[in-house]
Amino acid sequence: MRELSDRVSTDSALIDVGSVEAIKERLVSYLIHTVGVDPEFAVARDWLYATASLVRGILSEQYLNTARVEYDQDVRRVYYLSLEFLTGRSLMKNLWSLGLVERVREALKSLDQELDEVAEVEFDAALGNGGLGRLAACFLDSLATHAYPGFGYGIRYEFGMFNQKIENGQQVEHPETWLRYGNPWEFERPAILFPVRFGGHITCFKEESGKTVCHWVDTEDVMAMAYDVPVSGFGSGVVTKLRLWSARATRDFDLDVFNAGSYIDAVKDKTISENLSKVLYPADTTLMGQELRLKQEYFFVSASLQDILARHLRRHHDNLDDLHEKVAIQLNDTHPALAVPELMRLLIDVHGYEFDQAWDITRQTFSYTNHTLLPEALETWSISMLESILPRHLDLIYQINHRFLTEVKRHFPGRPDILGRLSLVDDKARQIRMAHLAVVGSHKVNGVAELHTHLMRQHVFADFAGMMGEKFVNVTNGITQRRWLLQSNTQLAGLISEAIGTDWVTDLSQLHRLEPQATDSAFCERMQAIKRANKERLAALVEARTGVVLDPAAMFDAQVKRIHEYKRQLLNLLHVIVLYNRIKDGNPPAHPRAVLIAGKSAPGYYMAKLIIRLIHDVADVVNNDPAIEDRLKLVFIPNYNVSTAEVVIPGSDLSEQISTAGMEASGTGNMKFALNGALTIGTLDGANIEIKDAVGDENIFICGLTAEEVAEKRTLGYHPWDFYNGNADLKRAVDQIGGGFFCPDDPGRYQPVVDNLLRNGDHYFVMADFASYAETQARVEAAYGDPEAWTRMAVLNVANMGMFSSDRSIHTYAKDIWRIKPLKQA
Ligand SMILES: *Cc1c(COP(=O)(O)O)cnc(C)c1O
């Protein structure tokens, strides 16, 4: 085994994968021996599993080697705790990482299979809702690519994000059984098993020494079992992992209990425990106070921490004193914030530490990323629920709070008002504020874009920032250029590499060297041809999924993201209606436009679902009106996910990033589009501001109120009616929605939409921003009429995306927050 070498190999694979011929032989062998299918009758899925088995074996070798190097170098590591990882498919990612794409393509071809068709059969691993989960997946890719020590922890949901179907124009959620054929990437680890406890009560007693010791007793236990998914680094030979926990009934491991009770009850019990890892909560940015969610959060946090401590103890001889020297733990939002009291519990109750020392270790171990300022998304848990499910943790939270408030009193003498605002406990609502717990329990708190961090300091955490300003830092989000350019836009990636070489794949700042190409007509023509090909691919996807035929010559204008009022799909839709009316009035746009919208709504989010329905009703009218011809199309692409994004983004001309200023923490979709040469129409929100600063004001279309103006209007009073009465186009569109123009059989259907815009205060400033948005769209249209100028702008966008790589984000976290260094690759 030692000859695997004790350094991280920079070769693409340690075992000799060899020639195309050798790969072919091994694929056939895996097909027969692992998949168990006759090559004669094998279908694409069988070949997918055979190929994945081959790749998984290589990844496993590299993983073992990486783990050994990490062990030998005994370096500080980071653990990324996230309830979501929106990974998408893995076959092509891993082939790219290993440098095997072409050889595997040829080997499959010699077996009469097309790699692209085989890859297409893979289910998306959709263990996340949207941006937050996708960020976690990009971060793992960057960690592995740059050989940082550490890995991710999450939950192996049996049902990931739901499959969105559209029935009668409405979203219907179907369970996504992504594990139906087995997950070819994971390694089941039946021996890596930790008990997780719930309920019960606390008994404390004084030992002879006078020390008070508490026991958590009479608990109901569930077992957490590990599954490891290898995460390949690009060309680094480093493979890290994502460890996902799956719930198992303790009954399976305790035959006596099983035999003592009734068999049927025991099996029933088993089902209840195993429900814990059954399903991902599909609500993005709204909080869900359900008991099962709380249990999921604790389940995954407890198993991960037990695993981390056991690893540390194996290595560092029964001593956790220096845990924070060897371990950094990142909390991706507050979802894993129970890790703070859980580490305290483990240190105090299990390992015998005093509160003070435990608290020191804890605070130096954790850091927390805040992802949202939306009040409805800030997690709180009811005290009564915590009391019954996690009584010891509630107790520890009270102790933490007591200490913290003592500090606050010292810091702000004579300011009892601040005490109540900073407290971890909301006494009135009888709730625990998880964000406060995460802030107090961490040594660093970061926002995810400059504006977001600024607002976080000014508003949600203003009092905290007044007390511990240095704790709050910014790390702007990023995306991995490996998935979002190299893999999903191979032609553009090839063109870029021809011009500037391939260093950009692991150092995106190299893209700035493309800048001179913006005035090179040959380069720009090729850029146009590539965009055209990507638009044809996207048009084919749209036709296959919706039956609507798009003309690739039209401007492809895309808004793809979760459906949420703050993201303002409605603003886009109002503009579509205005364009429709103008064509009907004999005033058509200079260029045909296809507006593409995709995204899922939380199942219980009434208004978002109504907006999806409205999009469909408007699309029906627009797409079937012969007077419109091909000048305007509106399509809703069902079931937006990572794989859909990989086709939509390269095929779009215009990227819609029009959230109400101050409400989108960062956005990462905005970065993906710009990196693929789409121009952005957007508000001064989240990372849009940094994109504008990077590409220059003249290469982006900015519209709408600023965050400050929105805040000012909120305090001084905002009158949406003024905008309605002051803009004839807008008034007509709103009246059509409210009057049933798009649903004559049920004319009142969209009254709630109009009520929100006019009577309920238009919380998201759609009315206020409409005129600016429509004018900016007119500028977009004019610019699109000059293909040379448009392409020049697109090239400049690509050239200036260097800082939006998740590699840059990870380097910043590593240096400023985690204090970790890449493994030495001797
Ligand atoms: C990038 C991505 C998101 C996040 O998009 P935003 O526009 O930043 O909200 C959501 N879902 C998927 C599938 C993505 O790839």
PDB file of all heavy atoms in Angstrom, residues 275-299:
ATOM      1  N   ASN A 275     -36.970   8.445   9.268  1.00  0.00           N
ATOM      2  CA  ASN A 275     -37.549   9.614   8.604  1.00  0.00           C
ATOM      3  C   ASN A 275     -36.633  10.829   8.660  1.00  0.00           C
ATOM      4  O   ASN A 275     -36.775  11.744   7.852  1.00  0.00           O
ATOM      5  CB  ASN A 275     -38.866  10.008   9.284  1.00  0.00           C
ATOM      6  CG  ASN A 275     -40.028   9.255   8.680  1.00  0.00           C
ATOM      7  OD1 ASN A 275     -39.909   8.729   7.584  1.00  0.00           O
ATOM      8  ND2 ASN A 275     -41.129   9.199   9.395  1.00  0.00           N
ATOM      9  N   LEU A 276     -35.728  10.830   9.635  1.00  0.00           N
ATOM     10  CA  LEU A 276     -34.885  12.015   9.845  1.00  0.00           C
ATOM     11  C   LEU A 276     -34.124  12.459   8.609  1.00  0.00           C
ATOM     12  O   LEU A 276     -33.960  13.647   8.371  1.00  0.00           O
ATOM     13  CB  LEU A 276     -33.882  11.729  10.964  1.00  0.00           C
ATOM     14  CG  LEU A 276     -34.330  12.097  12.355  1.00  0.00           C
ATOM     15  CD1 LEU A 276     -33.193  11.906  13.347  1.00  0.00           C
ATOM     16  CD2 LEU A 276     -34.781  13.548  12.377  1.00  0.00           C
ATOM     17  N   SER A 277     -33.611  11.516   7.843  1.00  0.00           N
ATOM     18  CA  SER A 277     -32.835  11.917   6.659  1.00  0.00           C
ATOM     19  C   SER A 277     -33.634  11.681   5.380  1.00  0.00           C
ATOM     20  O   SER A 277     -33.092  11.577   4.297  1.00  0.00           O
ATOM     21  CB  SER A 277     -31.512  11.154   6.612  1.00  0.00           C
ATOM     22  OG  SER A 277     -31.739   9.766   6.661  1.00  0.00           O
ATOM     23  N   LYS A 278     -34.932  11.595   5.530  1.00  0.00           N
ATOM     24  CA  LYS A 278     -35.790  11.249   4.390  1.00  0.00           C
ATOM     25  C   LYS A 278     -35.840  12.362   3.333  1.00  0.00           C
ATOM     26  O   LYS A 278     -35.679  12.110   2.148  1.00  0.00           O
ATOM     27  CB  LYS A 278     -37.195  10.989   4.950  1.00  0.00           C
ATOM     28  CG  LYS A 278     -38.182  10.216   4.149  1.00  0.00           C
ATOM     29  CD  LYS A 278     -37.808   8.843   3.667  1.00  0.00           C
ATOM     30  CE  LYS A 278     -38.089   7.679   4.552  1.00  0.00           C
ATOM     31  NZ  LYS A 278     -37.567   6.400   4.139  1.00  0.00           N
ATOM     32  N   VAL A 279     -36.070  13.587   3.774  1.00  0.00           N
ATOM     33  CA  VAL A 279     -36.405  14.614   2.766  1.00  0.00           C
ATOM     34  C   VAL A 279     -35.786  15.971   3.093  1.00  0.00           C
ATOM     35  O   VAL A 279     -35.736  16.387   4.249  1.00  0.00           O
ATOM     36  CB  VAL A 279     -37.948  14.702   2.595  1.00  0.00           C
ATOM     37  CG1 VAL A 279     -38.652  15.068   3.883  1.00  0.00           C
ATOM     38  CG2 VAL A 279     -38.333  15.693   1.485  1.00  0.00           C
ATOM     39  N   LEU A 280     -35.321  16.608   2.047  1.00  0.00           N
ATOM     40  CA  LEU A 280     -34.820  17.987   2.132  1.00  0.00           C
ATOM     41  C   LEU A 280     -36.002  18.932   2.266  1.00  0.00           C
ATOM     42  O   LEU A 280     -36.977  18.809   1.510  1.00  0.00           O
ATOM     43  CB  LEU A 280     -34.049  18.320   0.846  1.00  0.00           C
ATOM     44  CG  LEU A 280     -33.742  19.798   0.585  1.00  0.00           C
ATOM     45  CD1 LEU A 280     -32.581  20.271   1.448  1.00  0.00           C
ATOM     46  CD2 LEU A 280     -33.420  20.036  -0.883  1.00  0.00           C
ATOM     47  N   TYR A 281     -35.943  19.871   3.181  1.00  0.00           N
ATOM     48  CA  TYR A 281     -36.984  20.893   3.259  1.00  0.00           C
ATOM     49  C   TYR A 281     -36.864  21.828   2.062  1.00  0.00           C
ATOM     50  O   TYR A 281     -35.811  22.423   1.852  1.00  0.00           O
ATOM     51  CB  TYR A 281     -36.907  21.667   4.575  1.00  0.00           C
ATOM     52  CG  TYR A 281     -37.641  20.945   5.680  1.00  0.00           C
ATOM     53  CD1 TYR A 281     -37.000  20.017   6.483  1.00  0.00           C
ATOM     54  CD2 TYR A 281     -39.000  21.161   5.875  1.00  0.00           C
ATOM     55  CE1 TYR A 281     -37.678  19.331   7.475  1.00  0.00           C
ATOM     56  CE2 TYR A 281     -39.693  20.472   6.862  1.00  0.00           C
ATOM     57  CZ  TYR A 281     -39.033  19.561   7.656  1.00  0.00           C
ATOM     58  OH  TYR A 281     -39.720  18.890   8.622  1.00  0.00           O
ATOM     59  N   PRO A 282     -37.919  21.937   1.274  1.00  0.00           N
ATOM     60  CA  PRO A 282     -37.806  22.672   0.006  1.00  0.00           C
ATOM     61  C   PRO A 282     -38.099  24.156   0.112  1.00  0.00           C
ATOM     62  O   PRO A 282     -38.374  24.798  -0.885  1.00  0.00           O
ATOM     63  CB  PRO A 282     -38.845  21.973  -0.883  1.00  0.00           C
ATOM     64  CG  PRO A 282     -39.897  21.511   0.080  1.00  0.00           C
ATOM     65  CD  PRO A 282     -39.228  21.264   1.410  1.00  0.00           C
ATOM     66  N   ALA A 283     -38.045  24.729   1.297  1.00  0.00           N
ATOM     67  CA  ALA A 283     -38.309  26.163   1.423  1.00  0.00           C
ATOM     68  C   ALA A 283     -36.984  26.900   1.497  1.00  0.00           C
ATOM     69  O   ALA A 283     -36.156  26.644   2.347  1.00  0.00           O
ATOM     70  CB  ALA A 283     -39.162  26.435   2.645  1.00  0.00           C
ATOM     71  N   ASP A 284     -36.820  27.806   0.558  1.00  0.00           N
ATOM     72  CA  ASP A 284     -35.637  28.613   0.442  1.00  0.00           C
ATOM     73  C   ASP A 284     -36.010  29.949   1.080  1.00  0.00           C
ATOM     74  O   ASP A 284     -37.039  30.489   0.766  1.00  0.00           O
ATOM     75  CB  ASP A 284     -35.405  28.782  -1.077  1.00  0.00           C
ATOM     76  CG  ASP A 284     -34.069  29.367  -1.400  1.00  0.00           C
ATOM     77  OD1 ASP A 284     -33.080  28.929  -0.817  1.00  0.00           O
ATOM     78  OD2 ASP A 284     -34.029  30.248  -2.270  1.00  0.00           O
ATOM     79  N   THR A 285     -35.209  30.450   1.961  1.00  0.00           N
ATOM     80  CA  THR A 285     -35.402  31.789   2.546  1.00  0.00           C
ATOM     81  C   THR A 285     -36.719  32.021   3.296  1.00  0.00           C
ATOM     82  O   THR A 285     -37.095  33.141   3.504  1.00  0.00           O
ATOM     83  CB  THR A 285     -35.273  32.940   1.503  1.00  0.00           C
ATOM     84  OG1 THR A 285     -36.379  32.892   0.624  1.00  0.00           O
ATOM     85  CG2 THR A 285     -33.997  32.848   0.703  1.00  0.00           C
ATOM     86  N   THR A 286     -37.403  30.952   3.684  1.00  0.00           N
ATOM     87  CA  THR A 286     -38.450  31.174   4.685  1.00  0.00           C
ATOM     88  C   THR A 286     -38.198  30.157   5.772  1.00  0.00           C
ATOM     89  O   THR A 286     -37.731  29.058   5.501  1.00  0.00           O
ATOM     90  CB  THR A 286     -39.877  30.947   4.165  1.00  0.00           C
ATOM     91  OG1 THR A 286     -39.891  29.748   3.424  1.00  0.00           O
ATOM     92  CG2 THR A 286     -40.358  32.102   3.326  1.00  0.00           C
ATOM     93  N   LEU A 287     -38.493  30.529   6.981  1.00  0.00           N
ATOM     94  CA  LEU A 287     -38.139  29.600   8.032  1.00  0.00           C
ATOM     95  C   LEU A 287     -39.299  28.660   8.302  1.00  0.00           C
ATOM     96  O   LEU A 287     -40.460  28.973   8.069  1.00  0.00           O
ATOM     97  CB  LEU A 287     -37.705  30.362   9.284  1.00  0.00           C
ATOM     98  CG  LEU A 287     -38.745  30.705  10.321  1.00  0.00           C
ATOM     99  CD1 LEU A 287     -38.402  29.934  11.568  1.00  0.00           C
ATOM    100  CD2 LEU A 287     -38.726  32.188  10.620  1.00  0.00           C
ATOM    101  N   MET A 288     -38.911  27.470   8.743  1.00  0.00           N
ATOM    102  CA  MET A 288     -39.914  26.435   8.960  1.00  0.00           C
ATOM    103  C   MET A 288     -39.719  25.936  10.381  1.00  0.00           C
ATOM    104  O   MET A 288     -38.688  25.380  10.682  1.00  0.00           O
ATOM    105  CB  MET A 288     -39.688  25.287   7.982  1.00  0.00           C
ATOM    106  CG  MET A 288     -39.307  25.773   6.603  1.00  0.00           C
ATOM    107  SD  MET A 288     -37.983  24.793   5.839  1.00  0.00           S
ATOM    108  CE  MET A 288     -36.518  25.446   6.612  1.00  0.00           C
ATOM    109  N   GLY A 289     -40.675  26.159  11.228  1.00  0.00           N
ATOM    110  CA  GLY A 289     -40.503  25.807  12.634  1.00  0.00           C
ATOM    111  C   GLY A 289     -40.761  24.349  12.971  1.00  0.00           C
ATOM    112  O   GLY A 289     -40.954  24.003  14.112  1.00  0.00           O
ATOM    113  N   GLN A 290     -40.771  23.475  11.958  1.00  0.00           N
ATOM    114  CA  GLN A 290     -41.163  22.103  12.205  1.00  0.00           C
ATOM    115  C   GLN A 290     -40.158  21.329  13.039  1.00  0.00           C
ATOM    116  O   GLN A 290     -38.956  21.465  12.881  1.00  0.00           O
ATOM    117  CB  GLN A 290     -41.376  21.320  10.908  1.00  0.00           C
ATOM    118  CG  GLN A 290     -42.570  21.759  10.103  1.00  0.00           C
ATOM    119  CD  GLN A 290     -42.199  22.840   9.116  1.00  0.00           C
ATOM    120  OE1 GLN A 290     -41.196  23.527   9.302  1.00  0.00           O
ATOM    121  NE2 GLN A 290     -43.003  23.003   8.087  1.00  0.00           N
ATOM    122  N   GLU A 291     -40.702  20.483  13.871  1.00  0.00           N
ATOM    123  CA  GLU A 291     -39.895  19.645  14.742  1.00  0.00           C
ATOM    124  C   GLU A 291     -38.928  18.768  13.940  1.00  0.00           C
ATOM    125  O   GLU A 291     -37.759  18.616  14.314  1.00  0.00           O
ATOM    126  CB  GLU A 291     -40.851  18.770  15.553  1.00  0.00           C
ATOM    127  CG  GLU A 291     -40.182  18.016  16.649  1.00  0.00           C
ATOM    128  CD  GLU A 291     -41.197  17.302  17.535  1.00  0.00           C
ATOM    129  OE1 GLU A 291     -42.102  17.981  18.067  1.00  0.00           O
ATOM    130  OE2 GLU A 291     -41.078  16.070  17.682  1.00  0.00           O
ATOM    131  N   LEU A 292     -39.383  18.224  12.822  1.00  0.00           N
ATOM    132  CA  LEU A 292     -38.526  17.327  12.048  1.00  0.00           C
ATOM    133  C   LEU A 292     -37.295  18.075  11.528  1.00  0.00           C
ATOM    134  O   LEU A 292     -36.194  17.534  11.479  1.00  0.00           O
ATOM    135  CB  LEU A 292     -39.316  16.710  10.887  1.00  0.00           C
ATOM    136  CG  LEU A 292     -38.539  15.696  10.033  1.00  0.00           C
ATOM    137  CD1 LEU A 292     -38.122  14.477  10.861  1.00  0.00           C
ATOM    138  CD2 LEU A 292     -39.363  15.240   8.825  1.00  0.00           C
ATOM    139  N   ARG A 293     -37.485  19.318  11.151  1.00  0.00           N
ATOM    140  CA  ARG A 293     -36.356  20.120  10.667  1.00  0.00           C
ATOM    141  C   ARG A 293     -35.344  20.344  11.805  1.00  0.00           C
ATOM    142  O   ARG A 293     -34.136  20.214  11.601  1.00  0.00           O
ATOM    143  CB  ARG A 293     -36.879  21.444  10.122  1.00  0.00           C
ATOM    144  CG  ARG A 293     -35.834  22.480   9.807  1.00  0.00           C
ATOM    145  CD  ARG A 293     -34.975  22.111   8.599  1.00  0.00           C
ATOM    146  NE  ARG A 293     -34.052  23.201   8.299  1.00  0.00           N
ATOM    147  CZ  ARG A 293     -33.401  23.352   7.153  1.00  0.00           C
ATOM    148  NH1 ARG A 293     -33.548  22.462   6.200  1.00  0.00           N
ATOM    149  NH2 ARG A 293     -32.593  24.357   6.972  1.00  0.00           N
ATOM    150  N   LEU A 294     -35.827  20.676  12.969  1.00  0.00           N
ATOM    151  CA  LEU A 294     -34.936  20.862  14.117  1.00  0.00           C
ATOM    152  C   LEU A 294     -34.144  19.576  14.373  1.00  0.00           C
ATOM    153  O   LEU A 294     -32.933  19.601  14.602  1.00  0.00           O
ATOM    154  CB  LEU A 294     -35.736  21.235  15.360  1.00  0.00           C
ATOM    155  CG  LEU A 294     -34.925  21.364  16.661  1.00  0.00           C
ATOM    156  CD1 LEU A 294     -33.975  22.552  16.595  1.00  0.00           C
ATOM    157  CD2 LEU A 294     -35.845  21.514  17.871  1.00  0.00           C
ATOM    158  N   LYS A 295     -34.850  18.464  14.288  1.00  0.00           N
ATOM    159  CA  LYS A 295     -34.183  17.176  14.520  1.00  0.00           C
ATOM    160  C   LYS A 295     -33.138  16.891  13.440  1.00  0.00           C
ATOM    161  O   LYS A 295     -32.063  16.369  13.736  1.00  0.00           O
ATOM    162  CB  LYS A 295     -35.217  16.049  14.570  1.00  0.00           C
ATOM    163  CG  LYS A 295     -36.024  16.044  15.858  1.00  0.00           C
ATOM    164  CD  LYS A 295     -36.973  14.848  15.878  1.00  0.00           C
ATOM    165  CE  LYS A 295     -37.450  14.550  17.287  1.00  0.00           C
ATOM    166  NZ  LYS A 295     -38.431  13.443  17.285  1.00  0.00           N
ATOM    167  N   GLN A 296     -33.458  17.225  12.205  1.00  0.00           N
ATOM    168  CA  GLN A 296     -32.481  17.047  11.124  1.00  0.00           C
ATOM    169  C   GLN A 296     -31.227  17.857  11.410  1.00  0.00           C
ATOM    170  O   GLN A 296     -30.104  17.374  11.269  1.00  0.00           O
ATOM    171  CB  GLN A 296     -33.056  17.559   9.789  1.00  0.00           C
ATOM    172  CG  GLN A 296     -33.927  16.595   9.062  1.00  0.00           C
ATOM    173  CD  GLN A 296     -34.301  17.097   7.666  1.00  0.00           C
ATOM    174  OE1 GLN A 296     -34.166  18.281   7.350  1.00  0.00           O
ATOM    175  NE2 GLN A 296     -34.769  16.190   6.835  1.00  0.00           N
ATOM    176  N   GLU A 297     -31.442  19.106  11.798  1.00  0.00           N
ATOM    177  CA  GLU A 297     -30.307  19.988  12.038  1.00  0.00           C
ATOM    178  C   GLU A 297     -29.427  19.413  13.146  1.00  0.00           C
ATOM    179  O   GLU A 297     -28.203  19.353  13.021  1.00  0.00           O
ATOM    180  CB  GLU A 297     -30.795  21.398  12.406  1.00  0.00           C
ATOM    181  CG  GLU A 297     -31.448  22.115  11.219  1.00  0.00           C
ATOM    182  CD  GLU A 297     -31.879  23.547  11.535  1.00  0.00           C
ATOM    183  OE1 GLU A 297     -31.792  23.970  12.710  1.00  0.00           O
ATOM    184  OE2 GLU A 297     -32.318  24.250  10.588  1.00  0.00           O
ATOM    185  N   TYR A 298     -30.067  18.969  14.218  1.00  0.00           N
ATOM    186  CA  TYR A 298     -29.274  18.454  15.336  1.00  0.00           C
ATOM    187  C   TYR A 298     -28.611  17.122  14.989  1.00  0.00           C
ATOM    188  O   TYR A 298     -27.439  16.873  15.315  1.00  0.00           O
ATOM    189  CB  TYR A 298     -30.134  18.316  16.595  1.00  0.00           C
ATOM    190  CG  TYR A 298     -29.303  17.738  17.720  1.00  0.00           C
ATOM    191  CD1 TYR A 298     -28.216  18.453  18.222  1.00  0.00           C
ATOM    192  CD2 TYR A 298     -29.562  16.465  18.233  1.00  0.00           C
ATOM    193  CE1 TYR A 298     -27.403  17.910  19.216  1.00  0.00           C
ATOM    194  CE2 TYR A 298     -28.755  15.921  19.221  1.00  0.00           C
ATOM    195  CZ  TYR A 298     -27.681  16.649  19.707  1.00  0.00           C
ATOM    196  OH  TYR A 298     -26.873  16.109  20.671  1.00  0.00           O
ATOM    197  N   PHE A 299     -29.339  16.297  14.301  1.00  0.00           N
ATOM    198  CA  PHE A 299     -28.844  14.980  13.892  1.00  0.00           C
ATOM    199  C   PHE A 299     -27.513  15.105  13.144  1.00  0.00           C
ATOM    200  O   PHE A 299     -26.510  14.466  13.465  1.00  0.00           O
ATOM    201  CB  PHE A 299     -29.912  14.327  13.008  1.00  0.00           C
ATOM    202  CG  PHE A 299     -29.460  13.154  12.200  1.00  0.00           C
ATOM    203  CD1 PHE A 299     -29.271  11.915  12.808  1.00  0.00           C
ATOM    204  CD2 PHE A 299     -29.241  13.274  10.834  1.00  0.00           C
ATOM    205  CE1 PHE A 299     -28.861  10.825  12.055  1.00  0.00           C
ATOM    206  CE2 PHE A 299     -28.828  12.194  10.079  1.00  0.00           C
ATOM    207  CZ  PHE A 299     -28.633  10.958  10.698  1.00  0.00           C
TER     208      PHE A 299
END
